[in-house]
């Protein structure tokens, strides 16, 4: 099984002096936290996707976590959109990889159990499986002027996370469509494939803002 860890974003909303994955949380970069989590999940191959000028720096982080005892690690430069970065990572996984997980480095505290649940669903035959948690807020859909157009039942809503797992052929087919999306499941859904939502975890938050970084620090200490 292969994992694409996408870490090539700039982290505009975090507003740090460097790309988000290279910001530290309790003295360790988000990238290293994320890679440790991926290695703990027991995967065969990892594609690490980072900004072009940080490839060498990322190799120094990835190498000690990789072979001979850990998974094969390949660092590659990402693209302008997240979808481009995922495609870059997919392209360096070996032919032997038939199941792929795509994981955001920004979700650097994802517990191993979440990886296990996604993988278990794929092994039971799902073409796609992604983690999600029930939403606590009431969600409204609105029109361009801000007027409410609907109130979906909370029971039918999930806030989804990564790692998102797919059969490799299905994910490659989705990426070949050339469409961009904020998650890979959206591309696979668009092809008409059924994607299962398995149980996520609140600790798997995506670090987006400085408040999220502070929250993650509290989670780490707890
Ligand atoms: N990502 C990526 N390549 C991009 C954009 C995003 O690899 N061109 C990755 C990010 O590094 C992150 C994940 O996709 O791990 C989720 O994206 P997001 O949280 O939006 O991160 P950024 O795009 O870096 O943040 P922002 O949108 O605030 O600039
Ligand atoms: Mg972004």
């Amino acid at each position: 099984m292969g994992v694409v860890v996408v870490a090539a974003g700039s982290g505009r909303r975090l507003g740090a002096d460097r790309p988000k994955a290279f910001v530290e949380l309790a003295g360790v970069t988000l990238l290293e936290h994320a890679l440790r989590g991926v290695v703990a999940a027991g995967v065969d191959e990892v594609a690490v996707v980072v900004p072009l000028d940080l490839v060498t720096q990322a190799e120094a982080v990835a190498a000690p976590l990789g072979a001979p005892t850990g998974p094969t690690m390949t660092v590659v430069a990402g693209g302008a959109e997240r979808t481009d970065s995922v495609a870059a990572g997919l392209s360096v996984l070996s032919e032997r990889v038939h199941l792929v997980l795509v994981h955001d480095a920004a979700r650097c505290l994802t517990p191993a159990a979440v990886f296990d649940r996604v993988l278990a669903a794929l092994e039971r035959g799902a073409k796609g499986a992604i983690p999600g948690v029930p939403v606590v807020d009431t969600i409204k859909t609105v029109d361009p002027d801000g007027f409410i157009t609907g109130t979906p039942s909370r029971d039918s809503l999930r806030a989804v996370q990564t790692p998102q797992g797919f059969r490799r052929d299905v994910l490659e087919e989705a990426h070949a469509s050339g469409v961009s999306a904020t998650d890979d499941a959206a591309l696979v859904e668009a092809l008409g494939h059924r994607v299962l939502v398995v149980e996520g975890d609140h600790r798997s938050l995506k670090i987006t803002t400085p408040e999220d970084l502070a929250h993650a620090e509290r989670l780490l200490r707890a």
Side-chain angles (χ1 to χ4, degrees):
M1 191 246 318
V3 183
V4 174
V5 176
V6 284
S10 61
R12 190 182 45 79
R13 289 169 290 180
L14 189 60
D17 60 355
R18 65 198 79 176
K20 182 159 70 181
F22 295 83
V23 169
E24 290 188 357
L25 169 64
V28 174
T29 61
L30 300 191
L31 178 63
E32 184 162 353
H33 280 291
L35 292 180
R36 284 182 189 172
V38 165
V39 170
V43 305
D44 305 313
E45 284 187 29
V46 184
V48 185
V49 190
V50 299
L52 178 61
D53 56 331
L54 290 168
V55 167
T56 307
Q57 201 171 315
E59 278 168 345
V61 173
L65 297 170
T69 52
T72 306
M73 294 269 186
T74 309
V75 181
V76 64
E81 303 292 336
R82 183 184 180 283
T83 306
D84 305 318
S85 296
V86 174
L90 265 178
S91 72
V92 299
L93 292 175
S94 77
E95 296 281 292
R96 285 175 298 137
V97 170
H98 298 298
L99 297 177
V100 181
L101 305 187
V102 182
H103 189 46
D104 289 339
R107 295 187 192 271
C108 65
L109 301 182
T110 304
V114 177
F115 286 87
D116 292 345
R117 287 194 285 269
V118 171
L119 193 60
L122 295 177
E123 282 168 350
R124 283 195 304 269
K127 285 184 180 172
I130 75 174
V133 293
V135 299
V136 290
D137 293 317
T138 295
I139 308 285
K140 304 285 187 188
T141 55
V142 295
D143 68 18
D145 300 319
F147 288 99
I148 292 169
T149 54
T151 308
S153 152
R154 222 161 41 196
D155 293 342
S156 71
L157 295 171
R158 298 290 181 275
V160 303
Q161 307 176 332
T162 71
Q164 300 197 338
F166 305 95
R167 258 179 32 197
R168 183 185 189 156
D169 59 338
V170 168
L171 185 59
E172 284 182 341
E173 181 192 0
H175 276 265
S177 68
V179 178
S180 216
T182 57
D183 84 337
D184 296 279
L187 303 176
V188 172
E189 293 154 42
L191 292 178
H193 295 302
R194 277 153 60 86
V195 178
L196 181 69
V197 178
V198 300
E199 189 188 347
D201 192 299
H202 287 286
R203 287 167 291 182
S204 188
L205 82 158
K206 182 161 75 77
I207 295 175
T208 306
T209 64
E211 292 71 34
D212 296 332
L213 199 57
H215 182 194
E217 205 139 352
R218 286 193 298 276
L219 285 175
L220 257 188
R221 272 201 295 268

